Amino acid sequence: LGSASARLLLDAARRDAGPDLDTIAAIVGEASQDLRFNQRVLEAALENMSQGISVVDAELHLVAWNRRYEELFGYPPGMLHVGMPIAEAARWALREIASIDPSRDEAALQRRLAHMRAGTPHLSERVFPDGSIVEIRGNPMPGGGFVATFTDVTAFRQAEAGLMRVNETLEQRVAERTVLLETAKREAEHANDAKSRFLAAIGHDLLQPLHAAHLFTDTLQQRGAPEQRELARHIGSALDSTTDLL
């Protein structure tokens, strides 16, 4: 009630005035209806969220939660109740999850409780025995208390892992192609060197008899008859062309 309504209620009670009490009853009834409507809206919103939600007070006692929170951790129906220490609920969930290292789970729980007591945000992930992955995100509330959300990120992490595998495969394929290209380049360079050496050797071997033929034609041009010298000149011209081509 507001201060004016409270004052009216006290005055009406002292006077035992019926109309004033009726007015107060109407005010209270309307306020109660609004409160119940707001509560139903809030409950419907919480129950239809895909995330699990739990809310604790400043003493770390459970004050609110939704069905998804119960489903994620497999709490039996009716186990959770208002005022239950969140540490008790969390330890039960950890036993059901059956981690390989209980001491590590207890240490993680104590860290989470410490964040709640200090009012500091925290973020972590937990892998369940069935392979599902849940992100746990906690934030303090104004005036004390803590609210935590629990999100199933299994599909996201699986997609992320798939992308990483694809990326690793691509990198491996690129590395293999790079090695193949480098190998092909070296082989091509070796083949080119071998070709150059082969052509150099062939050119040298072919030039030797051509040089000898040049000597014979020169001798024939100097000592032969006119017709022979003319013929030798044509032969020498042909030999010069062949040398230039080589």
Side-chain angles (χ1 to χ4, degrees), residues 6 11 31 45 48 75 100 113 128 131 151 153-154 195 208 225:
D11 292 342
N48 287 280
Y75 291 113
I100 298 176
L113 294 176
F128 285 37
T151 308
V153 295
T154 307
K195 180 187 69 175
Q208 293 302 318

Side-chain angles (χ1 to χ4, degrees), residues 184-204:
K185 180 181 178 181
R186 287 194 298 269
E187 292 177 351
E189 290 174 349
H190 292 160
N192 189 58
D193 292 341
K195 180 187 69 175
S196 299
R197 290 193 299 270
F198 172 76
L199 292 178
I202 292 297
H204 179 268

